[in-house]
Amino acid sequence: MRAGPSQEEIRRQNLGALLRHVHLSGPTSRAELTSRMGLNRSTIMALTADLTAAGLVREELPRETGRAGRPSLVVRPESSRVYVLAFDIGVDRLVAARVGLGGVILDRAESPRDRGPFSLGEVSGLLAGFTGQMLKKVGADAVCVGVGVSFSGGVRRLDGVVRFSPNMGVADVPLGAELEARLGLGIPVAVGNDANLGALAEQARGVGAGSRDLIYLHGDVGIGGGIIASGQLLGGHGGYGGEVGHMVVNAGGRPCGCGSRGCLEAEVGERALLEAAGRFGHQVGRDAVRSVVDAADRGDVVAREALLRVGDWLGLGVANLVNIFNPEIVVFGGMLREIYLGAAAQVRSRINTDVLYASREHLRLRTPVLGDDTTLVGAAELAFAQVLADPLDALARVGA
Amino acid sequence: MRAGPSQEEIRRQNLGALLRHVHLSGPTSRAELTSRMGLNRSTIMALTADLTAAGLVREELPRETGRAGRPSLVVRPESSRVYVLAFDIGVDRLVAARVGLGGVILDRAESPRDRGPFSLGEVSGLLAGFTGQMLKKVGADAVCVGVGVSFSGGVRRLDGVVRFSPNMGVADVPLGAELEARLGLGIPVAVGNDANLGALAEQARGVGAGSRDLIYLHGDVGIGGGIIASGQLLGGHGGYGGEVGHMVVNAGGRPCGCGSRGCLEAEVGERALLEAAGRFGHQVGRDAVRSVVDAADRGDVVAREALLRVGDWLGLGVANLVNIFNPEIVVFGGMLREIYLGAAAQVRSRINTDVLYASREHLRLRTPVLGDDTTLVGAAELAFAQVLADPLDALARVGA
């Protein structure tokens, strides 16, 4: 019941909306911006002039139009000048990247991570080191407008504290604050749950582009969910919404790291698959999961049975979520991509049995377009959120 | 990425916001509206003048202020002049009501309903008859600004067609269109799912006032859910979101009317409780449920066991929803109110075992403030939605 916005608020909204257009769609002509935003030509010109003066976009002639007549100028994001830092902290790997406006990955560094307890100091130090190396190569006029981190665990919205992550062995770790101090850039570090960021990334730039009702399921060691309902990320009261990995699908079933039994994560996670296939304790990670799916594909009976069992529980979990959310798309990311591709028939069959017809009639099941970079791209989008919401204010905050 | 609103759109938003304030909060002084809406005094005066001229509010001196000095005028909704028609179609009863702006129930008529197949003609005819009786008593200057219906089933957002309702024995019934024709008022009839409307009602006027993350569970014969996430009702792609009754909690368990097994509805619905208590086939409905809870309370061992069993499955279902949504409040409405009150310890225990600590640390479990009128009040709020979104346009549409 807030009152409508002021003239100045509307101008800021419009600047953000125009910048978001070129950030997500790439170089766009003024004519197209005019029609897509429903504003008149002079307003678009004034907005573009403001963003150009701030160094966020530039206008240029398009390479080729294929049409006669004077071509409309194209508005292009200043990708090499305006960038964010994005970090992806997974169970098995650490990634740091410099991502330019428009979503261009300008530079990246990556290292595998040994499983075992998470050390805040060690991980922050390593990521800060990667960043230092990357920043040496950056031109003097470039400006960092945000820092975003994807983490495999539950993150408090308010302050970037990791509240829980059974699979990383941490609780109540001030990840955002620690990384901010180590980087020493004076820019607040935004931290998000990996599956939530995966959902944002696939909706912004992936298989869910344009969808307002999407579920992204991310399998690492555990299973997380990122849910977009009516175009908004489901956050919940404290920011922990989407913990679908701890939905009980098999009451009294396998013990889970959370202390309960029969959670989706306990029945479908990496360990469940490897144990069922008699391969637990040898290899771990994505390669181990892939090898079970490959073996099943080649006719290995034990691997096939394991995959069917896990696929059936995955299907039951997805069926529950489809009844609850009536989504347009469900995306299977991380190691769930392999499991879904190996057991799509089981998943589809469970959905057909357990979901009301109306709730599944337009449902699509998909794998991520962004592949293993889904969560990293999501971290970059989180970092860009400020500058896209209020471009000039965000630049002022980072001292540009 | 829509552009910001125009001046005229902002005026309409502000008119709607002001009207919504007095609709939900009752008579409110101009001074308080000024501070709550963050607008200046002259804007509030102009908006109030427009709404007064349209006959939606009136200004008057407050009865008593208890303070010295000239009292601020109070803006009051024109409850007896501006009204909606609200209908509640449940498995066991039909209710029609005339509800004034501000949420005052001005008149109501009710009749029990025999279980058995739903007849569109019969129910629409009966509700239209009730309406005819009520409208005879209405003054010539009164204006009906909307019609809303709560229905126990899945409703297509687009056109008010009931797509499914296993417990009412209907599929693909054009309820909105039929009722509109029978009423003959020339006003479109908005139809909503009962649990969704219950959620809206409890958030607007009930136990969830002010909460942005609320789950309302409604038990009738079946079980439905209405979910408000980040302040928005979860609709889903087609409008069928919130079908939590068909979440499988007991894989391979009791058969459900939807064709699946072990759904929350199959394990916790009226029939599950009555069968477990050895009382199925005698009495049905709310009284039957209440008698089991009362018997358990008096020490009847079979009733007690039945209630514990059902309470445990209810707890598991709620635990799943809390992990998924991280809500602030869960409300148990309809016959789930009785079950929750009789088995609160089981429900709470399941939540403590199965929900991540961070997701439940601020959770409150509640029963509806609006009692059995929750869904009816929700239907009225649905009917008021147009006039609260754009008051002058809505009046023009109904020819006032």
Side-chain angles (χ1 to χ4, degrees):
Chain A
M1 289 187 288
R2 222 183 128 248
S6 69
Q7 277 300 295
E8 177 56 19
E9 283 171 324
I10 291 173
R11 178 172 158 269
R12 286 161 181 264
Q13 276 179 31
N14 284 342
L15 285 170
L18 198 160
L19 189 61
R20 183 176 287 272
H21 264 296
V22 301
H23 173 64
L24 292 178
S25 308
T28 310
S29 72
R30 277 199 211 154
E32 191 163 349
L33 289 169
T34 304
S35 95
R36 291 214 292 191
M37 292 181 63
L39 293 172
N40 60 40
R41 282 181 59 199
S42 61
T43 306
I44 293 289
M45 261 179 74
L47 295 171
T48 307
D50 283 351
L51 293 175
T52 304
L56 291 164
V57 302
R58 67 176 187 277
E59 292 187 277
E60 57 186 29
L61 282 169
R63 300 242 168 101
E64 267 192 52
T65 66
R67 288 197 221 160
R70 199 172 59 141
S72 178
L73 284 175
V74 156
V75 183
R76 175 186 291 273
E78 283 280 15
S79 300
S80 57
R81 188 181 169 270
V82 180
Y83 69 93
V84 297
L85 294 169
F87 302 106
D88 185 9
I89 303 176
V91 175
D92 291 324
R93 66 168 195 170
L94 302 169
V95 189
R98 206 163 65 78
V99 181
L101 193 64
V104 191
I105 296 183
L106 301 168
D107 198 357
R108 70 184 288 161
E110 184 166 340
S111 110
R113 184 182 168 270
D114 283 338
R115 293 195 179 178
F118 174 85
S119 157
L120 179 60
E122 198 183 310
V123 169
S124 305
L126 195 118
L127 294 176
F130 281 161
T131 305
Q133 293 296 321
M134 291 194 292
L135 292 187
K136 278 185 192 159
K137 298 177 247 169
V138 172
D141 72 330
V143 53
C144 177
V145 295
V147 184
V149 186
S150 164
F151 190 86
S152 176
V155 179
R156 183 160 57 208
R157 182 169 27 204
L158 214 60
D159 57 8
V161 166
V162 173
R163 290 296 305 285
F164 56 87
S165 176
N167 298 311
M168 297 285 256
V170 289
D172 295 310
V173 169
L175 176 60
E178 175 69 18
L179 200 53
E180 183 180 337
R182 295 267 186 157
L183 292 172
L185 299 170
I187 299 175
V189 173
V191 186
N193 167 271
D194 55 354
N196 284 352
L197 295 179
L200 286 177
E202 288 295 328
Q203 192 211 19
R205 303 187 173 278
V207 72
S211 174
R212 293 173 56 77
D213 295 281
L214 169 149
I215 296 178
Y216 174 79
L217 297 176
H218 190 75
D220 198 344
V221 176
I223 290 176
I227 293 155
I228 291 172
S230 303
Q232 271 195 305
L233 183 70
L234 179 82
H237 184 56
Y240 314 113
E243 282 296 334
V244 303
H246 299 288
M247 162 174 62
V248 173
V249 289
N250 183 17
R254 292 169 53 89
C256 182
C258 75
S260 179
R261 282 183 166 274
C263 299
L264 184 67
E265 174 166 316
E267 303 294 345
V268 178
E270 179 187 308
R271 181 170 181 155
L273 180 71
L274 297 181
E275 282 191 3
R279 293 169 182 238
F280 185 69
H282 309 293
Q283 206 185 0
V284 292
R286 192 73 62 87
D287 290 340
V289 170
R290 212 172 273 138
S291 75
V292 176
V293 176
D294 289 346
D297 215 32
R298 286 195 311 270
D300 179 318
V301 177
V302 177
R304 187 80 210 138
E305 287 294 317
L307 192 58
L308 294 187
R309 180 195 151 86
V310 163
D312 191 51
W313 288 122
L314 176 61
L316 193 150
V318 172
N320 280 352
L321 295 175
V322 175
N323 272 322
I324 294 171
F325 288 100
N326 179 208
E328 187 180 9
I329 305 183
V330 176
V331 185
F332 298 87
M335 73 94 181
L336 284 182
R337 178 180 179 280
E338 322 301 330
I339 292 184
Y340 169 68
L341 291 176
Q346 270 62 44
V347 173
R348 187 47 91 176
S349 156
R350 266 291 181 185
I351 290 173
N352 287 343
T353 312
D354 293 348
V355 178
L356 298 163
Y357 177 74
S359 302
R360 65 179 153 86
E361 63 189 337
H362 301 300
L363 178 68
R364 287 178 284 150
L365 306 181
R366 292 288 185 272
T367 55
V369 165
L370 302 167
D372 284 347
D373 276 344
T374 299
T375 49
L376 181 71
V377 170
E381 292 304 323
L382 179 65
F384 278 120
Q386 285 276 355
V387 80
L388 298 176
D390 191 340
L392 306 187
D393 179 68
L395 286 182
R397 278 166 194 258
V398 299
Chain B
M1 291 189 286
R2 219 181 130 249
S6 69
Q7 278 299 296
E8 177 57 19
E9 283 171 325
I10 292 172
R11 177 172 157 271
R12 286 161 181 264
Q13 275 178 30
N14 285 341
L15 285 171
L18 198 159
L19 190 61
R20 183 175 285 272
H21 263 297
V22 301
H23 173 64
L24 292 178
S25 308
T28 309
S29 72
R30 277 200 210 153
E32 192 164 346
L33 288 168
T34 303
S35 95
R36 291 213 293 192
M37 292 181 63
L39 294 171
N40 60 41
R41 282 182 58 200
S42 61
T43 306
I44 293 289
M45 259 177 76
L47 294 171
T48 306
D50 283 351
L51 293 176
T52 303
L56 292 164
V57 303
R58 69 176 185 278
E59 292 188 277
E60 57 187 29
L61 283 169
R63 301 244 166 98
E64 267 191 51
T65 65
R67 287 197 221 160
R70 200 170 60 140
S72 177
L73 283 176
V74 156
V75 182
R76 175 186 291 274
E78 283 279 16
S79 299
S80 58
R81 186 178 171 273
V82 181
Y83 69 92
V84 297
L85 295 169
F87 303 105
D88 186 9
I89 303 176
V91 176
D92 291 324
R93 66 168 195 169
L94 303 169
V95 189
R98 204 163 65 78
V99 181
L101 193 64
V104 191
I105 296 183
L106 301 167
D107 198 356
R108 71 184 289 162
E110 185 168 339
S111 109
R113 181 180 170 271
D114 283 337
R115 291 195 181 179
F118 174 85
S119 157
L120 179 60
E122 196 182 313
V123 168
S124 305
L126 196 117
L127 293 177
F130 281 161
T131 305
Q133 294 297 320
M134 290 194 292
L135 292 186
K136 280 186 192 159
K137 298 178 248 170
V138 173
D141 71 331
V143 52
C144 178
V145 294
V147 184
V149 185
S150 164
F151 189 87
S152 177
V155 180
R156 182 159 58 207
R157 185 172 22 208
L158 215 61
D159 56 7
V161 165
V162 173
R163 292 295 306 283
F164 57 88
S165 176
N167 297 310
M168 298 284 256
V170 289
D172 295 310
V173 168
L175 176 60
E178 174 69 20
L179 200 53
E180 183 179 336
R182 295 270 186 154
L183 293 173
L185 300 171
I187 299 176
V189 173
V191 186
N193 166 270
D194 55 354
N196 283 351
L197 295 179
L200 286 178
E202 288 294 328
Q203 193 211 18
R205 305 186 172 277
V207 72
S211 174
R212 292 173 57 77
D213 295 281
L214 169 148
I215 296 178
Y216 174 79
L217 297 175
H218 190 76
D220 200 343
V221 176
I223 290 176
I227 293 157
I228 292 173
S230 303
Q232 271 196 305
L233 184 70
L234 178 84
H237 184 56
Y240 315 113
E243 283 296 334
V244 303
H246 300 287
M247 163 174 62
V248 174
V249 290
N250 183 18
R254 292 169 52 90
C256 182
C258 76
S260 181
R261 283 182 166 271
C263 299
L264 185 67
E265 175 166 316
E267 302 294 345
V268 178
E270 178 187 311
R271 181 168 182 158
L273 180 72
L274 297 181
E275 283 191 2
R279 293 169 183 235
F280 184 70
H282 308 294
Q283 207 185 1
V284 291
R286 193 73 62 86
D287 290 341
V289 170
R290 212 172 273 137
S291 75
V292 176
V293 177
D294 289 346
D297 215 33
R298 286 194 312 269
D300 178 318
V301 176
V302 176
R304 186 79 209 139
E305 288 295 316
L307 193 59
L308 293 188
R309 181 195 149 85
V310 165
D312 191 51
W313 288 122
L314 176 60
L316 193 149
V318 173
N320 281 352
L321 295 174
V322 174
N323 271 323
I324 295 170
F325 288 100
N326 180 208
E328 187 180 8
I329 304 182
V330 176
V331 185
F332 298 87
M335 74 93 179
L336 284 182
R337 179 181 179 278
E338 322 301 331
I339 291 184
Y340 170 68
L341 291 176
Q346 269 61 44
V347 173
R348 187 47 93 172
S349 158
R350 265 293 182 185
I351 290 173
N352 288 342
T353 311
D354 292 348
V355 179
L356 298 163
Y357 176 74
S359 301
R360 65 178 152 88
E361 62 189 338
H362 301 300
L363 178 68
R364 286 178 283 150
L365 305 180
R366 293 287 185 274
T367 55
V369 165
L370 302 167
D372 284 348
D373 276 344
T374 298
T375 48
L376 180 71
V377 170
E381 293 303 322
L382 179 64
F384 277 121
Q386 285 276 358
V387 79
L388 297 177
D390 192 340
L392 306 187
D393 179 67
L395 286 182
R397 279 166 193 258
V398 299

